Amino acid sequence: GILLIILSIRYLKKYPLVAFPVLFFFLNHIIESTVLPLELIFEHRNYLPSLFIFLPLSVFIAHAIYAPSKFSFVGRFAIAAGTVCFLIISGQATYTRNFAWADEGTLWSDSIKKAPSSPRAAGYLGQWYQKIEQPQKAYYYFRFALQNSYLAPTPKKSQLAASQSLGLVHYESEEYKKAIPYFNQCINIEKNNRNCLTNRARSYLQLYLPQKALDDAEILVADYPTYLLAKYIAASASYRLGALAEAQRYMHEIIQQSLDKPKGLYLMGLILLKYKSYPNALFFLRQAVDQWPSNAEYQFSLAAAYYINNQLDAAEQTLRNIFNRYPLPVIETALQNFKPDAPSQESVIFAKNFLSEILREEI
């Protein structure tokens, strides 16, 4: 490489068509060829530097075929035929390569075949399988990425990404206890990492460990004062701990920033139910239902609020909307699965009684 550069500089004026493409190629690679730990495996980094690589060859072919030269007719024909064959082979190679670029899955599967130990390729392939809802395959490749993270140019960054991804696979599979160790590992690599701390707090909420969830959420709120999800987790955890004033404070901050989050509106409605501020609770619950109409729990809680506020017709209509949307066995299962500390127990009792009446009517 160094010899080529020296010769190109030496003969730049005498042979510009040869020297310039060589210098152009190396100059465009300066950024990727320094002491900086960049990954040089990406083929697209050669696209621009290679722009003039075939310029000397093209000029030679043009002169050999069209200009008076020492080449005979047979020689010119051979050069032209060789050029056509080269173009056909290149076109076929491009066509074949396009199959690997059909989608993310084929691209990263091809990358794994060519670089079997690459943690980056394994991580991206895991994300693809996670995207198409194949958690077992996603888990396999995320584990592979974690095991080979030491091969990455930035091992800690690779390990952090793989740990977080493994935790998310467990979280999305509702395996919250299994998710937490991976989020812990992620936080050990990078203290108070926002994504991992958020997901660990969410896991604690799912496991009904509100104090641990609140501890994580308070760290997030302190580090990221405008982070709405952290405030929502803090409000939810405070609510479960019975600290209604704290929960309401967090919810007021959320509402001041945004009124288009159905979970936040729903939680605010539940807090106001606890305060027996039924008209205000109804306002927030209706907003939550309007934004997420397919959520049965929201519908049941709205029915409960109507029922408690002595608006029986509205409560009955809300429940009828649920019964019209879902088959009765699905609704019965949903009612049975309500968590013991759910703040909408009144709606459960009311809905069960209403359900019994509907069943009697149908019989």
Side-chain angles (χ1 to χ4, degrees), residues 11-12 14-22 52-53 55-57 59 63:
Y11 294 103
L12 180 60
K14 189 173 183 180
Y15 302 108
L17 285 176
V18 176
F20 175 73
V22 173
F52 296 106
I53 286 294
L55 178 61
L57 182 60
V59 172
H63 277 286

Side-chain angles (χ1 to χ4, degrees), residues 180 200-201 204-205 209-218 237 241:
I180 287 175
R200 188 173 74 174
Y204 283 141
L205 273 181
L209 297 171
Q211 186 57 59
K212 289 188 174 183
L214 182 59
D215 293 341
D216 283 350
E218 287 178 339
L241 289 167

Side-chain angles (χ1 to χ4, degrees), residues 225-228 231 252-260:
T226 60
Y227 188 23
L228 291 181
K231 293 181 180 180
H252 275 303
E253 292 179 16
I254 292 172
I255 290 168
Q256 286 174 357
Q257 290 180 254
S258 174
L259 257 178
D260 63 350

Side-chain angles (χ1 to χ4, degrees), residues 77-131:
F77 179 81
I79 292 172
T83 302
V84 172
C85 290
F86 174 77
L87 293 174
I88 291 173
I89 293 170
S90 297
Q92 177 63 31
T94 302
Y95 176 78
T96 304
R97 178 62 176 155
N98 283 340
F99 285 108
W101 287 77
D103 56 45
E104 292 177 53
T106 57
L107 174 61
W108 293 112
S109 295
D110 180 70
S111 299
I112 281 285
K113 290 177 183 177
K114 293 175 179 175
S117 60
S118 169
R120 176 186 287 271
Y124 278 119
L125 188 55
Q127 289 180 18
W128 165 255
Y129 281 119
Q130 192 174 31
K131 182 179 178 181

Side-chain angles (χ1 to χ4, degrees), residues 212-277:
K212 289 188 174 183
L214 182 59
D215 293 341
D216 283 350
E218 287 178 339
I219 294 172
L220 288 166
V221 171
D223 290 347
Y224 309 99
T226 60
Y227 188 23
L228 291 181
L229 181 55
K231 293 181 180 180
Y232 172 76
I233 294 171
S236 298
S238 298
Y239 180 85
R240 292 186 181 185
L241 289 167
L244 296 182
E246 278 297 294
Q248 190 172 21
R249 179 176 67 83
Y250 280 118
M251 289 310 306
H252 275 303
E253 292 179 16
I254 292 172
I255 290 168
Q256 286 174 357
Q257 290 180 254
S258 174
L259 257 178
D260 63 350
K261 306 294 182 185
K263 288 185 178 181
L265 294 167
Y266 175 64
L267 181 57
M268 191 63 180
L270 299 182
I271 292 169
L272 292 168
L273 274 181
K274 285 288 187 181
Y275 276 117
K276 299 183 179 180
S277 178

Side-chain angles (χ1 to χ4, degrees), residues 21-317:
V22 173
L23 292 175
F24 186 85
F25 180 85
F26 284 106
L27 283 171
N28 275 277
H29 274 300
I30 284 178
I31 296 175
E32 290 123 8
S33 301
T34 63
V35 294
L36 297 175
L38 297 178
E39 295 180 71
L40 305 181
I41 62 170
F42 296 112
E43 61 185 35
H44 68 265
R45 292 183 177 176
N46 283 311
Y47 293 168
L48 180 61
S50 301
L51 183 63
F52 296 106
I53 286 294
F54 292 99
L55 178 61
L57 182 60
S58 302
V59 172
F60 168 77
I61 292 171
H63 277 286
I65 296 175
Y66 298 109
S69 67
K70 297 179 181 180
F71 290 102
S72 64
F73 172 79
V74 175
R76 291 197 297 271
F77 179 81
I79 292 172
T83 302
V84 172
C85 290
F86 174 77
L87 293 174
I88 291 173
I89 293 170
S90 297
Q92 177 63 31
T94 302
Y95 176 78
T96 304
R97 178 62 176 155
N98 283 340
F99 285 108
W101 287 77
D103 56 45
E104 292 177 53
T106 57
L107 174 61
W108 293 112
S109 295
D110 180 70
S111 299
I112 281 285
K113 290 177 183 177
K114 293 175 179 175
S117 60
S118 169
R120 176 186 287 271
Y124 278 119
L125 188 55
Q127 289 180 18
W128 165 255
Y129 281 119
Q130 192 174 31
K131 182 179 178 181
I132 62 174
E133 298 180 355
Q134 294 189 30
Q136 292 183 340
K137 289 185 177 180
Y139 185 83
Y140 170 81
Y141 283 106
F142 287 143
R143 284 287 300 173
F144 186 88
L146 182 61
Q147 291 167 359
N148 289 279
S149 58
Y150 69 94
L151 296 172
T154 51
K156 284 190 175 181
K157 185 177 180 181
S158 179
Q159 188 178 0
L160 186 146
S163 299
Q164 181 183 351
S165 297
L166 284 165
L168 281 173
V169 171
H170 284 302
Y171 182 89
E172 290 171 359
S173 300
E174 300 183 358
E175 298 172 337
Y176 307 116
K177 286 185 179 180
K178 292 182 179 180
I180 287 175
Y182 287 110
F183 296 138
N184 290 342
Q185 185 176 353
C186 172
I187 293 165
N188 289 335
I189 297 168
E190 183 180 311
K191 186 180 179 182
N192 296 346
N193 177 276
R194 171 171 158 166
N195 290 332
C196 295
L197 205 58
T198 298
N199 289 321
R200 188 173 74 174
R202 292 167 65 200
S203 299
Y204 283 141
L205 273 181
Q206 295 293 342
L207 291 169
Y208 294 91
L209 297 171
Q211 186 57 59
K212 289 188 174 183
L214 182 59
D215 293 341
D216 283 350
E218 287 178 339
I219 294 172
L220 288 166
V221 171
D223 290 347
Y224 309 99
T226 60
Y227 188 23
L228 291 181
L229 181 55
K231 293 181 180 180
Y232 172 76
I233 294 171
S236 298
S238 298
Y239 180 85
R240 292 186 181 185
L241 289 167
L244 296 182
E246 278 297 294
Q248 190 172 21
R249 179 176 67 83
Y250 280 118
M251 289 310 306
H252 275 303
E253 292 179 16
I254 292 172
I255 290 168
Q256 286 174 357
Q257 290 180 254
S258 174
L259 257 178
D260 63 350
K261 306 294 182 185
K263 288 185 178 181
L265 294 167
Y266 175 64
L267 181 57
M268 191 63 180
L270 299 182
I271 292 169
L272 292 168
L273 274 181
K274 285 288 187 181
Y275 276 117
K276 299 183 179 180
S277 178
Y278 302 129
N280 291 329
L282 280 168
F283 169 79
F284 285 101
L285 291 174
R286 279 195 296 262
Q287 292 288 324
V289 168
D290 288 343
Q291 292 187 24
W292 196 348
S294 63
N295 190 306
E297 183 181 345
Y298 289 14
Q299 299 269 5
F300 283 132
S301 297
L302 179 60
Y306 280 132
Y307 180 73
I308 296 167
N309 200 41
N310 204 31
Q311 294 178 245
L312 301 185
D313 290 341
E316 182 176 335
Q317 184 57 49

